[in-house]
Amino acid sequence: MTTPGRGAAVVTGAAGGLGRAIAAALHADGWRVLLTDLDADVVATAAAPLGGWSRPLDVRDEAACATVAAEAAGAPGGLALWVNNAGILATGPSWTHDATTRRRLVEVNALGAMNGTHAALTVMRAQGHGHVLNVVSLAGLIAAPGETVYAASKHALLAFSLGTLADLRMAGVRGVHVSCLCPDGIWTPMLHDKLDDPGALASFTGSLLTPERVAARAVRLARRPRPVVSLPRWRGAQVRLLDAFPRLALALTPVVRAAGRAGQRRQARRAGPEASGPRL
C-alpha cells in the first residue's frame, strides 16, 4: 500500500540483496518505490510485488540518472527520496587489483552515487524538499584491511555526502537532506562467496546483519534524516576510535585477522552445507 503525500522513492541496486530489502521496507512504509538496477528483467521481477515500477539503470551514466529522477519527480508527491545503494566489492591487497577493477569500484561506489545525488538534488532543490540517503558501510569510517580500494571508494562517498549537505546549508537550502547509513557486514550475495576469502576478513569481524534489519533502519532514517548513522551503533563508535588512532589500528591487525576468520567459520556453520556451493 502507499500513503498519499509520501512521494516517490528511487532505490538503486534494487534487484536483490540489500537494495531489494530496502525497496520492500519502503513500500511497506507507504512509499511509491521505483526500483532500478542494471538488468531490466531482473529488476522488473523484484518490483512486481511492490507495485511493478522499475527501470534499468547504470549509475555510472549521469544522463540516465537524471532521466530516472525526472520520471520519479512526475509521480504524485514528487521525488521525495533517493537511495544510493548500488555498490560492488573486490577484496585483496590493493596492489592485486588491476586498473580496471580499481576504476570500476570508484565509478560505481563513489561516482555512481554522486551521479544519483546530483540527479536527485536537481529535482529536490527546485521543489524545496527531499532526501538523499547514501548507503556507505562501516568501511567508509575506517580503512578495512583486505578491502582497501572498496573502503577508499566509501570514504569518498562519505566525504562527498557530508560536504554536499554542508553546501546545501551554506546555500540556504534547509528542506533537502543528505544522510549516510554505515552498516556492518551484511549477509547478502556480496559476501556469500567470501567465507574462505582472507581479503574479506574485516567484513566478518562483527555480527553479520540481515538485509531486513538494515532496511528497517534505512526506513527510520528516511523518516528522520541524520548526517551519519552506523549500524550497530557500538560498531560505529569502535571503528571511529580506531580510525582516530591509526598506530593502534595497525597494531591490532592480527586481532582483526583472528576475529574475521572466526566470524567466517561461524557464518559458514550458520549458512550450512549450501554455503560452499554457488549462489545467485
Side-chain angles (χ1 to χ4, degrees):
M1 111 180 167
T2 58
T3 301
R6 183 73 86 185
V10 174
V11 182
T12 69
L18 177 59
R20 187 169 184 172
I22 290 175
L26 289 171
H27 176 76
D29 194 48
W31 298 81
R32 296 176 177 87
V33 187
L34 172 52
L35 288 76
T36 71
D37 213 311
L38 281 171
D39 191 305
D41 293 334
V42 175
V43 75
T45 299
L50 307 178
W53 195 15
S54 69
R55 290 291 180 270
L57 176 65
D58 184 341
V59 296
R60 297 172 294 181
D61 187 335
E62 183 178 6
C65 289
T67 298
V68 168
E71 178 180 348
L79 174 58
L81 178 67
W82 183 291
V83 181
N84 283 308
N85 165 76
I88 57 174
L89 171 68
T91 59
S94 60
W95 60 83
T96 64
H97 299 325
D98 59 21
T100 299
T101 300
R102 295 194 303 271
R103 185 177 300 109
R104 186 162 177 256
L105 281 164
V106 174
E107 286 180 345
V108 174
N109 297 347
L111 295 178
M114 291 181 190
N115 289 338
T117 300
H118 285 153
L121 291 183
T122 298
V123 173
M124 293 173 180
R125 289 175 61 237
Q127 68 189 14
H129 63 88
H131 186 187
V132 176
L133 196 166
N134 290 327
V135 179
V136 176
S137 161
L138 282 185
L141 301 177
I142 191 169
E147 299 175 359
T148 305
V149 181
Y150 171 80
S153 70
K154 293 297 188 175
H155 273 65
L157 177 54
L158 183 71
F160 168 78
S161 302
L162 295 178
T164 298
L165 179 58
D167 288 341
L168 288 167
R169 297 299 179 262
M170 289 182 66
V173 180
R174 302 293 174 186
V176 180
H177 306 278
V178 181
S179 296
C180 297
L181 179 60
C182 301
D184 205 347
I186 311 167
W187 187 238
T188 67
M190 186 179 281
L191 291 182
H192 284 179
D193 63 349
K194 305 296 185 185
L195 290 174
D196 295 310
D197 182 357
L201 290 173
S203 290
F204 292 87
T205 54
S207 297
L208 282 185
L209 304 170
T210 65
E212 292 74 21
R213 180 179 175 186
V214 180
R217 187 64 187 91
V219 169
R220 296 199 304 275
L221 185 56
R223 294 180 192 162
R224 186 179 179 185
R226 293 176 57 187
V228 180
V229 169
S230 57
L231 185 70
R233 185 181 300 177
W234 70 268
R235 281 282 279 170
Q238 181 187 65
V239 299
R240 282 180 179 275
L241 178 63
L242 290 174
D243 189 54
F245 298 95
R247 291 180 63 185
L248 174 61
L250 288 171
L252 290 175
T253 298
V255 178
V256 171
R257 184 190 305 117
R261 188 65 195 111
Q264 286 176 319
R265 290 193 294 265
R266 183 168 58 249
Q267 186 60 33
R269 291 193 297 270
R270 290 173 178 168
E274 70 276 8
S276 60
R279 292 174 185 80
L280 302 178

